[in-house]
Amino acid sequence: MSAVTDAPLEADDTDNEFEHLLDDAIGTTSGRTSKFDIGDVTKAAKMIDESHVVERVVAWRQKDRAGKHPGGRPSVVNDRIILIVLLLLAREHAPLFAREMGNVLHQRLTTEARTFLGLPDTL
């Protein structure tokens, strides 16, 4: 074992069979960088709105809280926006992780899409 740890690390310019595991290749995001435009967002919003799922989520939350208020700062991103972002990700077969949602909200929406959703320029 000591021979492995004592050996100096050398870097060369030859192809590395483990190159796919280096740098940004290991990440929790899908690596997608394409933008969601206003058309993508309005389609997803229409599907969410017509499903009436937002109303159900709000009712479930009120029932779970049983009259208690959450406290803290008011949220910037509401349930409707969260569901729209999840649908956008699902339609492109991306992971439905919070990190992916954050990537969409911070980097992948066009200005028009952000305005449509009522999001500030920066979150």
Side-chain angles (χ1 to χ4, degrees):
M1 179 90 176
S2 65
V4 172
T5 57
D6 293 341
L9 294 175
E10 295 180 17
D12 58 12
D13 292 336
T14 61
D15 288 335
N16 183 346
E17 66 180 303
F18 299 107
E19 186 173 322
H20 64 284
L21 298 176
L22 301 176
D23 299 327
D24 293 332
I26 299 177
T28 55
T29 64
S30 64
R32 291 175 167 90
T33 57
S34 60
K35 297 277 188 177
F36 290 111
D37 64 14
I38 188 70
D40 299 326
V41 173
T42 55
K43 281 182 197 175
K46 182 178 179 184
M47 292 175 72
I48 294 297
D49 293 343
E50 289 179 357
S51 72
H52 301 288
V53 70
V54 175
E55 292 85 358
R56 286 187 172 202
V57 170
V58 169
W60 291 332
R61 185 172 291 118
Q62 288 174 345
K63 183 178 178 182
D64 288 344
R65 286 187 181 150
K68 298 175 191 163
H69 297 286
R73 292 180 3 178
S75 61
V76 175
V77 181
N78 61 33
D79 295 325
R80 180 176 179 263
I81 294 171
I82 291 169
L83 291 169
I84 290 169
V85 169
L86 284 170
L87 185 56
L88 290 169
L89 289 170
R91 292 182 69 188
E92 71 173 7
H93 304 286
L96 304 179
F97 299 147
R99 182 174 212 131
E100 289 294 332
M101 294 170 58
N103 187 33
V104 170
L105 291 170
H106 287 283
Q107 300 173 0
R108 296 188 59 197
L109 294 173
T110 63
T111 304
E112 296 83 14
R114 294 182 76 73
T115 302
F116 175 80
L117 292 173
L119 293 171
D121 292 337
T122 59
L123 292 176

